[in-house]
């Protein structure tokens, strides 16, 4: 219990009070965050990483001299509160440059609003996968990789693990999912790949927050699947891992979504977590940028998280990764619209659509290999689609796939085109690239 308390210490740590102090020439970012409630560990770690990187950039003089400011608004991961927070913050301090709600439900709730308001929204590793089509969703950016490409990457990994994709024929794969838009998002890909490769897909829902799963694991025990994909979030993850152990299901046969692959999921699970694997779009390890955050912020008492042991953990690193991409988009936009000046939401959209964070740029930032290279375009607001698999050894995460995995992108692109075309027809949108 001490370990759990230590990890969650600071989850409710001064959300709005930790807002950056906006000045006239600052670049304002809206952060509808959550540091309390059942998903506090994820929210506090992610937004803590974002703010740590913003502070690091500001210590270095900002983005070509432009300091970054921000404001947090506590959503508790609740869609209606998230919409309220967005509406409250979007016009503050000259107008929000961008917004990141870290919630599929909130992202769906403000999807149409951000396009009307011309405030780009990132959905880093979550949300609506077909939003990668910038012709239909010019202001939405599911950066790095989407749920659809993650699902395709999962099946590619499981195929390789079994000796080839053809070896999946006749296998049973359970999709144990959070009964929400988040949990249902990968189903089109999993269903298509099930038909293509001949494995049986068994879908089992878990009612949020997921603290009771005995009946679901009874179904799993009866089905005796070859693999269980855990598409969980928050307390659902540790409950699933411990319940799997009680039911004699090997953790080595479980593969989690990246929101089911953090230290906050593993430590409460104790010994039951050893051998469990999860997807990730960050490579565990030490990086120059993370060391700078430790030495320049936390050593000076300026870190955002009250518990410094959470620095460089999964959620924190994911927040730093998000902020790196946002700052690079600001730089890209300034290159076009004028260095040393804050960019508007419309200009930031252009910067996000023309990102090119290659290995050389990652090296310059101190983040080489920390996340896959990202190159966006009007056609591709995702910019990568690559994933890795990490495994918990009982005390820490280790990457068990040395190279980035890319699943069936031809399939996900086909689904993306079909789904986004349907959305465009429903909303009377003329699909086209913005200039």
């Amino acid at each position: 219990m001490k370990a759990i308390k230590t990890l969650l210490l600071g989850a409710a740590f001064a959300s709005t009070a930790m807002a950056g102090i906006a000045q006239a020439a600052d670049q304002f970012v809206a952060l509808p965050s959550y540091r309390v409630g059942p998903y506090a560990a994820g929210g506090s770690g992610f937004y803590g990483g974002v703010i740590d990187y913003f502070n690091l950039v500001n210590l270095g003089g900002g983005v070509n001299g432009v300091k970054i400011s921000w404001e947090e608004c506590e959503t508790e991961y609740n869609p209606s509160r998230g919409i309220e927070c967005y509406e409250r913050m979007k016009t503050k301090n000259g107008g929000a440059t961008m917004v990141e709600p870290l919630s599929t439900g909130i992202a769906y709730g403000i999807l149409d609003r951000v396009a009307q308001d011309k405030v780009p929204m990132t959905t880093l590793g979550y949300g609506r996968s077909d939003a990668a089509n910038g012709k239909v969703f010019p202001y939405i950016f599911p950066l790095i990789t989407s749920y659809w490409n993650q699902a395709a990457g999962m099946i590619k990994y499981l195929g390789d693990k079994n000796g080839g994709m053809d070896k999946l024929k006749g296998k049973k794969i359970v999709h144990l999912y959070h009964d929400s838009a988040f949990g249902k998002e990968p189903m089109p890909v999993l269903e298509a790949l099930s038909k293509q490769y001949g494995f049986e897909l068994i879908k089992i829902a878990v009612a949020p927050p997921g603290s009771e799963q005995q009946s679901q694991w009874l179904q799993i025990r009866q089905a005796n699947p070859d693999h269980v994909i855990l598409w969980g979030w928050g307390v659902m993850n540790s409950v699933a891992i411990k319940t799997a152990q009680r039911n004699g299901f090997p953790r080595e046969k479980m593969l989690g979504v990246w929101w089911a692959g953090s230290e906050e999921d593993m430590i409460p699970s104790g010994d039951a977590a050893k051998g469990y694997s999860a997807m990730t779009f960050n490579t565990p390890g030490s990086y120059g940028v993370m060391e700078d955050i430790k030495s320049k912020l936390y050593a000076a008492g300026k870190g955002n998280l009250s518990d410094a042991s959470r620095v460089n953990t999964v959620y924190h690193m994911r927040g730093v990764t998000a902020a790196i991409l946002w700052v690079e988009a600001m730089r890209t936009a300034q290159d076009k619209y004028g260095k040393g000046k804050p960019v508007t939401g419309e200009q930031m959209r252009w910067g996000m659509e023309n990102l090119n964070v290659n290995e050389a740029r990652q090296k310059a930032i101190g983040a080489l290999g920390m996340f896959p290279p990202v190159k966006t375009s009007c056609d591709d607001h995702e910019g990568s689609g690559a994933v890795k698999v990490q495994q918990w050894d009982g005390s820490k995460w280790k990457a068990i796939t040395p190279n980035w995995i890319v699943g069936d992108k031809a399939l996900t692109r086909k689904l993306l085109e079909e789904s986004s075309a349907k959305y465009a027809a429903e909303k009377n949108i003329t699909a086209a690239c913005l200039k």
Side-chain angles (χ1 to χ4, degrees), residues 123-133 141-154 185-186 189 231 257-259 279 281 380-387 409 412-413 416:
T123 55
L124 198 82
Y126 73 95
R128 188 168 180 140
S129 298
D130 61 358
N133 185 354
F141 293 83
L143 290 175
I144 299 186
T145 188
S146 66
Y147 284 145
W148 285 1
N149 276 326
Q150 178 182 200
M154 282 177 152
E185 183 68 21
V189 173
W231 208 277
V257 65
W258 43 59
W259 304 115
M279 307 304 290
F281 51 81
D380 183 9
H381 277 197
E382 185 179 27
S384 173
V387 295
K409 289 195 78 173
T412 57
R413 186 70 204 186
L416 179 157

Side-chain angles (χ1 to χ4, degrees), residues 6-294:
T6 299
L7 277 170
L8 295 181
L9 186 64
F13 183 66
S15 60
T16 304
M18 287 300 294
I21 305 302
Q23 298 172 6
D26 283 359
Q27 192 74 62
F28 177 63
V29 176
L31 299 177
S33 61
Y34 44 96
R35 294 180 183 251
V36 299
Y39 308 108
S44 60
F46 179 88
Y47 290 103
V50 166
I51 292 169
D52 280 342
Y53 189 72
F54 282 172
N55 278 325
L56 186 67
V57 170
N58 284 346
L59 276 179
V63 184
N64 296 315
V66 179
K67 295 292 184 73
I68 305 168
S69 66
W70 61 90
E71 182 173 318
E72 292 187 77
C73 179
E74 179 60 55
T75 71
E76 296 185 19
Y77 196 73
N78 181 293
S80 61
R81 292 193 67 167
I83 293 168
E84 289 172 10
C85 282
Y86 169 72
E87 290 295 332
R88 189 183 312 154
M89 293 189 292
K90 70 181 183 182
T91 56
K92 282 198 171 184
N93 303 320
T97 306
M98 55 153 290
V99 63
E100 167 56 79
L102 199 68
S103 159
T104 297
I106 298 173
Y108 270 71
I110 63 176
L111 192 76
D112 295 330
R113 298 173 190 237
V114 296
Q116 294 168 2
D117 299 331
K118 298 183 178 178
V119 177
M121 175 172 68
T122 61
T123 55
L124 198 82
Y126 73 95
R128 188 168 180 140
S129 298
D130 61 358
N133 185 354
K135 293 188 183 78
V136 177
F137 300 93
Y139 280 86
I140 313 298
F141 293 83
L143 290 175
I144 299 186
T145 188
S146 66
Y147 284 145
W148 285 1
N149 276 326
Q150 178 182 200
M154 282 177 152
I155 300 304
K156 174 73 165 60
Y157 169 72
L158 292 177
D160 291 344
K161 189 176 180 180
N162 281 278
M165 300 303 289
D166 59 310
K167 299 296 192 298
L168 289 176
K169 187 173 183 179
K171 301 286 187 186
K172 291 181 181 179
I173 299 177
V174 165
H175 176 54
L176 183 67
Y177 67 95
H178 191 277
D179 196 6
S180 64
F182 151 64
K184 297 170 186 175
E185 183 68 21
M187 287 184 185
V189 173
L190 295 176
E191 289 166 354
L193 290 172
S194 171
K195 291 177 183 177
Q196 183 176 347
Y197 292 108
F199 62 84
E200 182 183 353
L201 179 66
I202 303 168
K203 293 175 278 190
I204 301 176
V206 176
S211 52
E212 175 50 54
Q213 298 177 39
Q214 194 56 46
S215 64
Q216 287 87 352
W217 280 94
L218 179 60
Q219 292 178 62
I220 292 171
R221 190 171 164 183
Q222 291 170 341
N224 191 26
D226 298 279
H227 303 284
V228 168
I229 290 174
L230 174 60
W231 208 277
W233 181 221
V235 68
M236 174 179 166
N237 299 327
S238 58
V239 171
I241 291 166
K242 289 187 286 187
T243 310
Q245 182 190 47
R246 286 199 300 272
N247 283 272
F249 191 83
R251 266 66 70 215
E252 290 79 7
K253 289 187 176 184
M254 295 177 70
L255 181 62
V257 65
W258 43 59
W259 304 115
S262 71
E263 289 82 0
E264 288 84 353
D265 298 315
M266 299 302 102
I267 291 174
S269 303
D271 292 339
K274 190 173 182 179
Y276 169 83
S277 298
M279 307 304 290
T280 182
F281 51 81
N282 287 116
T283 307
S286 180
Y287 301 91
V289 65
M290 306 306 293
E291 294 305 313
D292 283 346
I293 286 171
K294 290 178 185 178

Side-chain angles (χ1 to χ4, degrees), residues 197-421:
Y197 292 108
F199 62 84
E200 182 183 353
L201 179 66
I202 303 168
K203 293 175 278 190
I204 301 176
V206 176
S211 52
E212 175 50 54
Q213 298 177 39
Q214 194 56 46
S215 64
Q216 287 87 352
W217 280 94
L218 179 60
Q219 292 178 62
I220 292 171
R221 190 171 164 183
Q222 291 170 341
N224 191 26
D226 298 279
H227 303 284
V228 168
I229 290 174
L230 174 60
W231 208 277
W233 181 221
V235 68
M236 174 179 166
N237 299 327
S238 58
V239 171
I241 291 166
K242 289 187 286 187
T243 310
Q245 182 190 47
R246 286 199 300 272
N247 283 272
F249 191 83
R251 266 66 70 215
E252 290 79 7
K253 289 187 176 184
M254 295 177 70
L255 181 62
V257 65
W258 43 59
W259 304 115
S262 71
E263 289 82 0
E264 288 84 353
D265 298 315
M266 299 302 102
I267 291 174
S269 303
D271 292 339
K274 190 173 182 179
Y276 169 83
S277 298
M279 307 304 290
T280 182
F281 51 81
N282 287 116
T283 307
S286 180
Y287 301 91
V289 65
M290 306 306 293
E291 294 305 313
D292 283 346
I293 286 171
K294 290 178 185 178
S295 63
K296 296 179 181 180
L297 297 179
Y298 285 86
K302 297 178 181 178
N304 184 259
L305 295 174
S306 59
D307 180 4
S309 70
R310 297 185 70 196
V311 176
N312 212 59
T313 58
V314 168
Y315 286 139
H316 183 263
M317 186 186 291
R318 201 165 289 165
V320 173
T321 297
I324 286 173
L325 295 177
W326 303 344
V327 169
E328 292 307 300
M330 293 173 193
R331 292 189 198 282
T332 302
Q334 282 192 26
D335 286 344
K336 179 177 174 65
Y337 296 103
K339 288 187 178 181
K341 297 187 295 185
V343 296
T344 65
E346 290 178 85
Q347 292 168 345
M348 183 67 166
R349 184 212 64 80
W350 188 92
M352 286 187 175
E353 192 169 275
N354 290 275
L355 271 175
N356 185 15
V357 186
N358 55 24
E359 290 186 349
R361 185 58 192 154
Q362 287 183 334
K363 186 175 181 180
I365 297 166
L368 179 61
M370 183 170 145
F371 56 91
V374 175
K375 184 177 174 59
T376 57
S377 65
C378 174
D379 280 329
D380 183 9
H381 277 197
E382 185 179 27
S384 173
V387 295
K388 280 192 178 182
V389 180
Q390 60 183 9
Q391 188 171 57
W392 185 252
D393 68 2
S395 62
K396 62 183 179 302
W397 290 106
K398 289 185 176 180
I400 57 174
T401 51
N403 301 316
W404 294 102
I405 301 168
V406 178
D408 190 342
K409 289 195 78 173
L411 168 65
T412 57
R413 186 70 204 186
K414 177 177 177 289
L415 293 172
L416 179 157
E417 293 284 356
E418 292 172 352
S419 180
S420 59

